[in-house]
Amino acid sequence: MKFDRVLDLFFQSKCPICNRSTPDYLCVYCTKPLIACRSEQFCETKLPIPLFCWGVYDDALKRAIGTCKYQNQPKIATYLGQQMGQTWQTDRDALLLKKLTVVPIPMHPEKQKQRGFNQAELLARGFCDITNMPCKPELLVRTKNTKPQMQTKSKEERRQNLDQAFVSPKQKVKYPVLLVDDIYTSGATIESAILALTAQQIKVGAILVLARTSLHDR
Ligand SMILES: [Zn+2]
């Protein structure tokens, strides 16, 4: 056997999504469809606060998020955060915003204890690895253990579910906040987080989410 083949045996690992052997963290069969889930339009500038959605919550991206959360694969979130960082670095609307303080949407401490990690925080950290922006998860605290937004039915139920779900400690923040979350459904979670930050005079400059649910899921 050739020496490089022997090295391959040592350095090949299993892709956490499909279990194929791969020299990279994710195999090429998973990477390609994941990249294909990227949204055609990264930024929605028509909203009062610009909203950036990296991808559509469907197919490969849905599977990757599920594997990350329910099969204990936190590194997938870091990887996807880095992908968001790379897209950000080449986007005209994003670059107009300059430096921001990155704040992930927190999980309730009890839920985080069960899962062992907060995927939104890992997305934010992966994003900051690439963009060199400061990451400050301590700027938001989740005080209410809410139901997943996708399990709530009406708009009113969503609002009640998230009413005063977050608080923010009084702190001086150098740059406006970039809120980061994994899935964007109705925007109610983000709205609730913005209320908590603005109550402390902390400005939210933009919102960045990994995946937006398609119309039929809303
Ligand atoms: Zn794979």
Side-chain angles (χ1 to χ4, degrees), residues 15 17-20 26-27 29-30:
C15 169
I17 298 175
C18 69
N19 236 2
R20 287 185 181 96
L26 294 182
C27 80
Y29 302 97
C30 290

Side-chain angles (χ1 to χ4, degrees), residues 31-64:
T31 315
K32 271 194 182 163
L34 257 182
I35 301 300
C37 288
R38 270 192 306 195
S39 352
E40 275 171 38
Q41 195 190 351
F42 183 44
C43 180
E44 272 188 46
T45 43
K46 284 186 201 108
L47 301 165
I49 299 174
L51 167 70
F52 294 84
C53 297
W54 185 82
V56 180
Y57 186 65
D58 216 344
D59 307 320
L61 190 52
K62 196 171 181 175
R63 189 177 173 199

